[in-house]
Amino acid sequence: MVALLQKRFRVDPIILGSAFAIIAIIVVFPFTLLFLNSFRVDGVFTLQNYATVFQAKRNYTALLNSLQLGFFTSLFSVLLGAPLAWLVTRTNLPFARLFKTLFILPYMIPPFIGAIAWSQLLNRRNGYVNRLAQSILGIQGYVFNVNTMPGLIWVMALYLYPFVFITVVGALERMDPTLEEAARTCGSRTMKIMKDITLPLVAPSIAGGALLVFASSIANFGIPALIGMQGRVFVLTTMIYSYMHSGGFKGISMAASLSIMLMGISVGALLLNNLYLKKKQYTLISGKSMRPKTLSLGRWKIPCFVLACVIVFVTVILPFFSIVLTSLLDAWGADITWENLTLRNYKYILFDYRLTRDALKNSFLLAISSATICMILGSLIAYISIKTKIKGRKLLETISLIPYTIPGTVVAIAMILAWSGGFGINLYNTFWILLVAYVAHYLAFAVRTTSASLEQIHSSLEEAARVSGGSWTTSLKDIVIPLIRPGLVAGWFLIFMPTLRELTMSILLWGPRTVTIGVAVFEMQEAGYVQISAAFATLLLIIVIAGNLLVKKLTRGKIGI
């Protein structure tokens, strides 16, 4: 039957060939050029770029700073995320379900907006916290300075700890509770059970979350740029940005070499994560439907509740309040009085300032276009991988997933090298180079979400349609697409939201007419238009949180990335 169907529907070569051609153009070609250019000096292949990179003290310092940032951010994310996950899943903490949602909120907030908020709070000159400390304690000078490595680690950990929190919550909810119950029946104390049973079982998830935090922190651009660069604390991403802005072929070559180094560290951490999790496959899911016994916190119930409230206040309420308050000030640094509060900043960004109006238009158009293209192409790749026996289908899927594991800064440089006119096509400073970069980077979302939906559709449904005389396109249109439509819609929003507020790639690819929301906020903040930047950031924050809550509702119980 399968042979007859393949003979009747000779579309395999066309489908696979078209998909491979598109992937080759947007993924293979740019990254191959990036790799080759990192070895090229004056048209000659050499290791000189790498030698120069390691000889320059500032590059060596940036590398060490990146590794230090990644390590300590991962450490503090584990120390914060893992205990919180245990509190909301295994104890009688009041309002545990509400806290479970609130602890994830920092994940929804764009990191560069969090950086702006904490810069306003802990700025050494006129930060809100420093001003409050000065007025209460009567001291001169500042108490906190966010523009340091500790400040950078603080902000980064606050916005990346949800990686650990989410993975540990998932592990604790899936874990077989009979193991703990048996130990408790034998008289073991709670702390001993946690040390000997719970912790070893969730250790792979903790380590996996920590490695994800490490990879994300060294690949992040917004927080190091807005906080670190002001204190002359450079990491690999901001050093790459500096080289690109220095201009010239040498700057691009140096940036390419640093990008390969950054990509190697980031991808290495993710591969290590996958390898570790593969080797540490404990049985977490039992055959019985059984909920673990809730641990009574006893006299620690109120202190834990207060601690949870403090964490929510510090990670969510305080930064959001800072952004909103600054957006309402008539001038940055002015006294907080009713006379100095105004809505003019919002009126200005929405109706009077062309930069922000163009940014809104460009970002929405880019987000809609990239989400749509990703879902069309990603669905095709997922269908080939899941529902066909075409040779090479798994290679096609693997290549399509690679760009998402690569830092956005590296993706941007690869696109510049490929589409800046050197090969007959010049997309630099145009809408199209941003679109190609977004599609390449976020295509993995579409492939993963569609694959998860397609795996739930039995092949007999399509075979029945074809035996009845229906074409491949008919079975696709009448059977497959209607069944996976919820997954397609959810996947579309999963791509739309991050592209709408994207900064890392956009900061290197935007042109005079292609400013995006993330770039506009960044540029206004860097130019000193703090209150206008805060107003635009507040608007973006509202859009992002509302959109992410919608995504969560759409994806609940259907798909996962």
Side-chain angles (χ1 to χ4, degrees), residues 297-335:
L297 293 172
R299 60 192 178 92
W300 291 100
K301 185 175 184 179
I302 298 302
C304 286
F305 173 72
V306 173
L307 177 64
C309 290
V310 170
I311 292 173
V312 170
F313 176 77
V314 171
T315 60
V316 179
I317 298 175
L318 189 60
F320 190 84
F321 174 77
S322 173
I323 287 283
V324 173
L325 178 60
T326 303
S327 71
L328 296 174
L329 285 177
D330 188 47
W332 170 236
D335 293 334

Side-chain angles (χ1 to χ4, degrees), residues 4 10 29 70 178 204 209 237 274 276 306 375-376 428 467 540:
L4 178 62
R10 285 292 180 182
F29 177 58
T178 58
T237 52
N274 293 336
Y276 181 79
V306 173
M375 289 312 302
I376 294 173
Y428 190 59
V467 169
L540 174 60

Side-chain angles (χ1 to χ4, degrees), residues 26 38 49 91 120 137 148 158 164 175 216 234 242 252 269 317 320 331 413 440 453 464 480 493 515 526 530 551 556:
I26 68 173
S38 70
N49 286 331
T91 72
Q120 295 167 359
L137 302 177
T148 59
L158 290 184
V164 177
M175 195 174 72
S216 299
F234 284 88
S242 299
I252 295 177
I317 298 175
F320 190 84
I413 294 177
S453 298
V480 177
F493 276 102
V515 62
E526 287 293 281
V530 179
V551 169
R556 185 175 297 164

Side-chain angles (χ1 to χ4, degrees), residues 59-77 148-154 156-157 160 210 213-215 217-219 224 232-236 262 265:
N59 294 332
Y60 186 70
T61 302
L63 172 61
L64 293 180
N65 285 341
S66 289
L67 295 176
Q68 181 182 354
L69 177 63
F71 173 79
F72 283 106
T73 300
S74 301
L75 175 62
F76 290 121
S77 294
T148 59
M149 177 58 76
L152 197 54
I153 294 170
W154 166 262
M156 193 76 78
L160 293 184
V213 170
F214 179 86
S217 60
I218 66 170
R232 307 301 296 171
V233 180
F234 284 88
V235 295
L236 286 177
L262 176 62
I265 297 172

Side-chain angles (χ1 to χ4, degrees), residues 25-221:
I25 291 172
I26 68 173
V27 176
V28 178
F29 177 58
F31 288 103
T32 301
L33 280 180
L34 174 66
F35 181 75
L36 294 177
N37 271 273
S38 70
F39 293 97
R40 184 177 297 170
V41 177
D42 297 328
V44 178
F45 287 96
T46 175
L47 292 174
Q48 182 180 333
N49 286 331
Y50 289 94
T52 305
V53 163
F54 282 105
Q55 287 174 358
K57 183 179 179 180
R58 60 176 184 170
N59 294 332
Y60 186 70
T61 302
L63 172 61
L64 293 180
N65 285 341
S66 289
L67 295 176
Q68 181 182 354
L69 177 63
F71 173 79
F72 283 106
T73 300
S74 301
L75 175 62
F76 290 121
S77 294
V78 168
L79 294 177
L80 181 61
L84 291 179
W86 179 77
L87 275 177
V88 299
T89 56
R90 290 303 181 91
T91 72
N92 63 338
L93 179 73
F95 307 104
R97 293 185 63 181
L98 175 61
F99 279 120
K100 184 178 177 181
T101 300
L102 293 175
F103 290 150
I104 298 176
L105 275 181
Y107 175 73
M108 302 180 185
I109 299 173
F112 65 91
I113 291 183
I116 292 173
W118 281 102
S119 181
Q120 295 167 359
L121 287 165
L122 302 181
N123 185 287
R124 60 185 176 183
R125 296 176 182 172
N126 48 14
Y128 295 128
V129 174
N130 280 324
R131 290 165 63 183
L132 182 63
Q134 289 167 0
S135 62
I136 293 176
L137 302 177
I139 61 176
Q140 298 295 324
Y142 58 87
V143 179
F144 303 101
N145 182 11
V146 75
N147 302 120
T148 59
M149 177 58 76
L152 197 54
I153 294 170
W154 166 262
V155 178
M156 193 76 78
L158 290 184
Y159 290 95
L160 293 184
Y161 87 85
F163 280 112
V164 177
F165 176 80
I166 292 170
T167 55
V168 176
V169 163
L172 288 172
E173 290 179 340
R174 296 191 310 269
M175 195 174 72
D176 185 354
T178 58
L179 300 173
E180 295 174 309
E181 295 299 326
R184 190 172 286 108
T185 302
C186 294
S188 295
R189 293 180 177 273
T190 300
M191 293 304 296
K192 183 173 178 56
I193 293 173
M194 288 179 59
K195 179 175 69 70
D196 295 341
I197 297 177
T198 308
L199 186 59
L201 286 175
V202 299
S205 296
I206 294 174
L211 286 169
L212 286 174
V213 170
F214 179 86
S216 299
S217 60
I218 66 170
N220 188 279
F221 170 78

Side-chain angles (χ1 to χ4, degrees), residues 348-363 510-517 519-525 527 529 532 536:
Y348 183 66
I349 62 168
L350 289 173
F351 304 106
D352 301 330
Y353 195 19
R354 182 174 178 178
L355 178 72
T356 52
R357 287 188 286 112
D358 288 346
L360 285 169
K361 180 185 68 176
N362 290 333
S363 286
W510 73 288
R513 297 184 179 180
T514 57
V515 62
T516 63
I517 293 176
V519 171
V521 174
F522 179 84
E523 291 293 317
M524 288 188 292
Q525 181 72 18
Y529 303 133
I532 300 174
F536 205 37

